[in-house]
């Protein structure tokens, strides 16, 4: 009996090693200005991130992704880039980034930067050269003659609208043409029908890859190529939405076949760059239909799964969540790996969007569903959106509340900075929601998060998933990989629910053990659950249940390792 058990153990460990890191890692998004301030100016910086790499390693993070840190006039919080090869002095220097890459690699982790290929700042040297038609950059951007004239006023080439509001066209008095900008007028769109532009962006990637970067989160994928004939887009009937762009059907400006071709060229570049020794990877931002999104999945690229962010809100129920998850899993090609995103720098934090009592439940969900999971900084401790007074607002689009400083301790400025004023206010709840205190509190969000990251390792490489609902309000799913079996149950109702687990899950063990209860679950780690009886789930709480108790798992592993040691040395020939 010993030898088969040892073989199974070896196969499990070998298979885990064979799983590409991008299929299994927990990705952690750092918003650099809000993570940690090393020099006391009230702004987070690269050296501040370096100071906390140990923390990220200790909680089980595999890949760290930084929002834009490039040189920028900062009209769109760094997404208007004036030099892709330089770092904004607010954050530090290229040398600081190189030091961060080395520190992260020292802990066996990966690092991603944000890449913004769709547009540059209008202060980028490429744009200035294009305006004046010099240096061979005439067609680096999308230029078009006026459609006509209204007296002395030039008319835009089409009815295309910016997603920031107003026309997507701005007239340039130097070139005497309009340039396209799907975002702000200070963010002219690059022309990806020009192969020189594709090559320029590949050289930007190479610059950072040569410094050890492991990949990019690639921004705003759907907008790279537009209709070559610049045709007007059809308007949705009877549409009166606040943003005019939302009233157009974007069949000429989003997700064109040529955009997928550009991404294939980028994907091929990754293969050409690094072969198989140290594979680079892309995670892609594409707010699109599910069908359009999964088409961006390629050998070295995965589109972020925004289905939960886009479709699940506080008033939705368990049946709707199950449909969202099942539809995503069903449409993925076999060779494609899932990923799960429930928060980021553009969306309200989970505790504010769905309620603080569901923080643990959603961490449970994204960490235990198959594939990669993405954690936005602070979600592991249950950070909430912060009220920002009008006089303190920085971002015109209203995204400041989810970008406030990381809460490290209950000391001044939550341990983020020793400055008298931070760039955005610290949430006043930092006295009770912070890393330092939560590390010392067994029942904290953070310690639950760490338990979940640890147990998910048993399911790396498995896509096995069974989802279920109990009535309209309780969502559950089962993961199984070899001898490992785990159940997650979330009650979205504001009253207690009773569930019969055996009614939805086949071959369920007679006894399960509470592995990770949410703070409001009123269960303790290690509690036994008799699956022949109905299980009471408290309002808006969640449970992670294991087929084996934490103690028995530890003992079993110890027995296997001890037996392995004896087996090796009792059969070793020392002659």
């Amino acid at each position: 009996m010993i030898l088969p058990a040892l073989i199974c153990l070896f196969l499990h460990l070998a298979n885990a090693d064979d799983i590409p890191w991008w299929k299994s890692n927990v990705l952690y998004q750092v918003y650099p200005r809000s993570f940690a301030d090393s020099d006391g100016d009230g702004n987070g910086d690269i050296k501040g991130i370096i100071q906390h790499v140990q923390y990220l390693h200790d909680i089980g993070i595999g890949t760290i992704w930084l929002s834009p840190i490039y040189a920028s006039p900062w009209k769109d919080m760094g997404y208007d880039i004036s030099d892709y090869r330089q770092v904004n002095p607010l954050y530090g220097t290229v040398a600081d980034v190189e030091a961060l890459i080395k520190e992260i690699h020292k802990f066996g982790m990966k690092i991603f930067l944000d890449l913004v290929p769709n547009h540059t700042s209008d202060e980028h040297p490429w744009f200035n050269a294009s305006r004046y038609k010099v240096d061979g950059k005439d067609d680096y951007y999308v230029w078009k003659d006026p459609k006509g004239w209204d007296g002395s006023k030039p008319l835009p080439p089409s009815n295309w609208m910016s997603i920031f509001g107003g026309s997507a066209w701005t007239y340039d008095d130097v070139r005497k043409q309009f340039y396209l900008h799907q975002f702000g007028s200070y963010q002219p769109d690059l022309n990806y029908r020009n192969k020189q532009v594709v090559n320029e962006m590949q050289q930007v990637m190479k610059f950072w890859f040569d410094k050890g970067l492991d990949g990019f989160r690639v921004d705003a994928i759907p907008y790279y190529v537009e209709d070559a004939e610049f045709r007007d887009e059809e308007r949705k009937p009877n549409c009166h939405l606040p943003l005019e762009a939302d009233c157009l059907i974007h069949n000429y400006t989003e997700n064109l076949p040529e955009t997928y071709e550009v991404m294939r060229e980028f994907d091929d570049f990754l293969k050409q760059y690094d072969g198989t020794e140290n594979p680079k990877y892309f995670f892609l931002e594409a707010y699109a239909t599910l069908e359009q999104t999964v088409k961006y999945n390629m050998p070295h690229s995965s589109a972020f799964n925004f289905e939960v962010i886009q479709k699940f809100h506080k008033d939705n129920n368990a049946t709707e969540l199950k449909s969202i998850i099942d539809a995503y899993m069903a449409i993925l090609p076999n060779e494609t790996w899932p990923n799960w995103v429930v928060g980021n720098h553009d969306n309200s934090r989970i505790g504010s969007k769905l309620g603080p009592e569901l923080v643990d439940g959603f961490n449970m969900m994204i960490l235990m569903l198959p594939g990669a999971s993405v954690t936005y900084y602070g979600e592991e401790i249950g950070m909430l959106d912060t009220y920002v007074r009008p006089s303190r607002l920085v971002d015109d689009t209203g995204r400041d509340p989810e970008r406030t400083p990381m809460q490290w301790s209950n000391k001044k400025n939550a341990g983020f900075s020793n400055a008298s004023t931070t760039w955005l206010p610290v949430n006043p709840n930092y006295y009770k929601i912070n890393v330092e205190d939560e590390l010392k509190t067994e029942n904290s969000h953070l310690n639950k998060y760490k338990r979940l990251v640890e147990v998910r390792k048993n399911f790396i490489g498995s896509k096995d998933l069974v989802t279920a609902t109990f009535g309209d309000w309780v969502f559950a799913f089962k993961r199984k990989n070899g001898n490992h079996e785990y159940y997650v149950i979330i009650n979205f109702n504001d009253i207690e629910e009773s569930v019969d687990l055996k009614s939805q899950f086949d071959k369920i063990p007679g006894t399960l053990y509470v592995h990770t209860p949410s703070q409001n679950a009123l269960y303790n780690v290690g509690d036994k659950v008799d699956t022949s009886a109905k299980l009471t789930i408290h309002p808006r709480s969640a449970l992670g249940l294991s087929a084996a108790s934490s103690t028995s798992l530890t003992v079993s592993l110890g027995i296997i390792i001890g037996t392995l040691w004896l087996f090796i040395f009792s059969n070793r020939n020392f002659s």
Side-chain angles (χ1 to χ4, degrees):
M1 294 296 291
I2 294 174
L3 187 56
L6 296 176
I7 291 171
C8 288
L9 175 62
F10 276 128
L11 287 175
H12 174 72
L13 295 175
N15 287 338
D17 288 340
D18 289 341
I19 300 300
W21 57 268
W22 49 265
K23 286 186 175 182
S24 58
N25 271 2
V26 179
L27 281 77
Y28 188 95
Q29 182 187 359
V30 169
Y31 196 75
R33 198 173 181 183
S34 292
F35 199 62
D37 171 20
S38 71
D39 58 11
D41 67 354
N43 297 282
D45 47 47
I46 301 300
K47 289 181 178 178
I49 299 170
I50 292 173
Q51 293 170 356
H52 293 283
V53 171
Q54 174 83 57
Y55 161 76
L56 295 172
H57 171 264
D58 290 350
I59 67 171
I61 301 305
T63 301
I64 299 168
W65 148 39
L66 274 59
S67 293
I69 58 170
Y70 308 103
S72 166
W74 213 260
K75 295 177 182 176
D76 184 27
M77 311 300 289
Y79 283 88
D80 49 325
I81 296 169
S82 55
D83 191 335
Y84 290 96
R85 293 174 173 85
Q86 290 297 323
V87 173
N88 192 317
L90 188 73
Y91 293 141
T93 65
V94 172
D96 292 336
V97 177
E98 290 174 328
L100 175 62
I101 291 171
K102 289 178 182 177
E103 183 72 6
I104 287 172
H105 287 169
K106 185 177 79 176
F107 284 93
M109 298 187 290
K110 307 291 184 181
I111 175 171
F112 275 39
L113 294 182
D114 235 309
L115 185 68
V116 188
N118 179 69
H119 51 264
T120 69
S121 165
D122 58 3
E123 297 182 26
H124 196 293
W126 295 347
F127 186 67
N128 194 52
S130 193
R131 293 176 76 203
Y132 286 95
K133 298 185 180 181
V134 296
D135 298 335
K137 295 181 171 56
D138 301 28
D139 297 322
Y140 266 43
Y141 296 83
V142 181
W143 296 97
K144 184 67 174 170
D145 290 332
K147 190 173 188 177
W149 294 81
D150 180 8
S152 61
K153 180 183 179 182
L155 300 176
S158 69
N159 72 340
W160 300 350
M161 304 299 293
S162 163
I163 65 172
F164 280 7
S167 174
W169 296 100
T170 290
Y171 188 73
D172 181 66
D173 286 325
V174 172
R175 182 150 164 161
K176 305 300 182 186
Q177 285 184 306
F178 281 92
Y179 64 86
L180 178 69
H181 53 88
Q182 297 232 43
F183 294 84
S185 61
Y186 47 85
Q187 294 166 298
D189 277 31
L190 286 162
N191 175 20
Y192 278 96
R193 294 185 183 277
N194 183 343
K195 295 302 180 183
Q196 288 178 272
V197 172
V198 175
N199 182 65
E200 287 273 20
M201 203 53 63
Q202 289 173 342
Q203 293 310 304
V204 168
M205 297 175 199
K206 184 178 185 302
F207 174 84
W208 290 106
F209 287 156
D210 287 349
K211 295 184 181 301
L213 192 76
D214 298 295
F216 288 99
R217 175 268 193 187
V218 190
D219 183 67
I221 298 296
Y223 307 99
Y224 290 178
V225 184
E226 300 78 25
D227 178 48
E229 299 178 32
F230 300 94
R231 288 171 285 185
D232 283 350
E233 292 188 316
E234 184 180 347
R235 187 180 177 85
K236 298 173 184 176
N238 302 315
C239 182
H240 303 288
L241 295 173
L243 189 61
E244 190 69 15
D246 291 339
C247 286
L248 297 179
I249 298 172
H250 299 295
N251 52 322
Y252 293 139
T253 57
E254 296 180 18
N255 302 297
L256 269 64
E258 294 90 338
T259 295
Y260 290 97
E261 183 56 39
V262 170
M263 287 312 305
R264 274 188 285 272
E265 291 186 60
F266 284 169
D267 195 85
D268 288 344
F269 175 75
L270 294 192
K271 181 178 180 180
Q272 295 162 11
Y273 177 85
D274 58 29
T276 58
E277 289 298 313
N278 179 30
K280 309 296 184 183
Y281 203 75
F282 289 144
F283 280 100
L284 314 176
E285 182 201 46
Y287 286 97
T289 67
L290 190 52
E291 292 76 14
Q292 291 168 332
T293 299
V294 298
K295 285 170 61 179
Y296 287 111
N297 292 329
M298 298 173 190
H300 300 84
S301 312
S302 291
F304 273 149
N305 167 22
F306 293 137
E307 290 295 288
V308 175
I309 281 182
Q310 291 180 296
K311 297 178 180 178
F312 195 79
H313 306 283
K314 197 166 187 175
D315 292 332
N316 293 118
N317 62 25
T319 304
E320 290 162 315
L321 181 59
K322 174 176 162 51
S323 296
I324 290 169
I325 291 172
D326 289 350
Y328 173 70
M329 293 296 292
I331 202 171
L332 283 179
N334 288 335
E335 68 276 8
T336 301
W337 213 253
N339 66 77
W340 307 94
V341 185
V342 297
N344 59 29
H345 61 293
D346 290 328
N347 292 275
S348 190
R349 289 186 176 277
I350 283 297
S352 295
K353 178 183 178 182
L354 301 177
E357 57 278 349
L358 284 171
V359 165
D360 294 329
F362 266 73
N363 281 338
M364 223 175 277
M365 186 179 82
I366 66 163
L367 290 170
M368 292 309 301
L369 284 169
S373 61
V374 182
T375 293
Y376 184 49
Y377 82 97
E379 294 289 9
E380 75 275 19
I381 62 172
M383 279 180 62
L384 304 175
D385 291 353
T386 303
Y387 172 71
V388 182
R389 296 180 185 279
S391 61
R392 294 291 308 276
L393 291 172
V394 177
D395 178 44
D396 293 338
T397 62
R399 296 169 293 183
D400 289 337
E402 61 262 27
R403 299 177 177 184
T404 53
M406 178 68 175
Q407 295 163 210
W408 293 106
S409 71
N410 60 15
K411 301 177 179 65
K412 179 181 178 180
N413 293 325
F416 163 74
S417 172
N418 60 16
S420 57
T421 303
T422 56
W423 82 281
L424 282 176
V426 174
N427 196 312
N429 67 13
Y430 73 88
Y431 72 94
K432 63 177 179 179
I433 299 177
N434 65 76
V435 170
E436 187 177 287
D437 287 346
E438 291 198 23
L439 282 172
K440 296 182 290 189
T441 306
E442 183 179 354
N443 195 41
S444 68
H445 296 306
L446 182 54
N447 279 319
K448 294 177 189 299
Y449 184 93
K450 290 173 66 177
R451 287 180 62 81
L452 291 162
V453 171
E454 192 62 31
V455 77
R456 80 188 295 274
K457 295 176 183 177
N458 296 319
F459 301 92
I460 289 174
S462 169
K463 282 189 184 178
D464 180 84
L465 174 68
V466 179
T467 62
T469 55
F470 299 87
D472 287 333
W473 293 102
V474 178
F475 171 70
F477 64 88
K478 170 186 174 182
R479 298 294 315 284
K480 187 172 176 62
N481 190 25
N483 294 325
H484 298 288
E485 200 167 329
Y486 201 90
Y487 298 80
V488 170
I489 308 163
I490 308 174
N491 178 11
F492 290 100
N493 210 345
D494 54 6
I495 60 173
E496 283 187 353
E497 294 278 355
S498 295
V499 300
D500 177 5
L501 294 176
K502 284 193 172 182
S503 69
Q504 296 292 330
F505 295 111
D506 295 334
K507 300 179 181 179
I508 191 169
T511 301
L512 293 174
Y513 298 86
V514 175
H515 177 273
T516 305
S518 65
Q519 284 188 346
N520 56 338
L522 304 185
Y523 288 88
N524 296 312
V525 173
D527 284 353
K528 290 184 179 181
V529 172
D530 180 1
T531 60
S532 66
K534 286 192 173 183
L535 177 64
T536 299
I537 310 296
H538 294 273
R540 301 178 69 75
S541 72
L543 284 176
L545 305 176
S546 174
S549 70
S550 300
T551 303
S552 63
L553 282 171
T554 304
V555 170
S556 298
L557 184 58
I559 291 172
I560 291 173
I561 293 173
T563 304
L564 174 61
W565 183 266
L566 290 173
F567 179 81
I568 291 172
F569 279 87
S570 64
N571 290 278
R572 185 172 176 181
N573 184 351
F574 288 94
S575 59

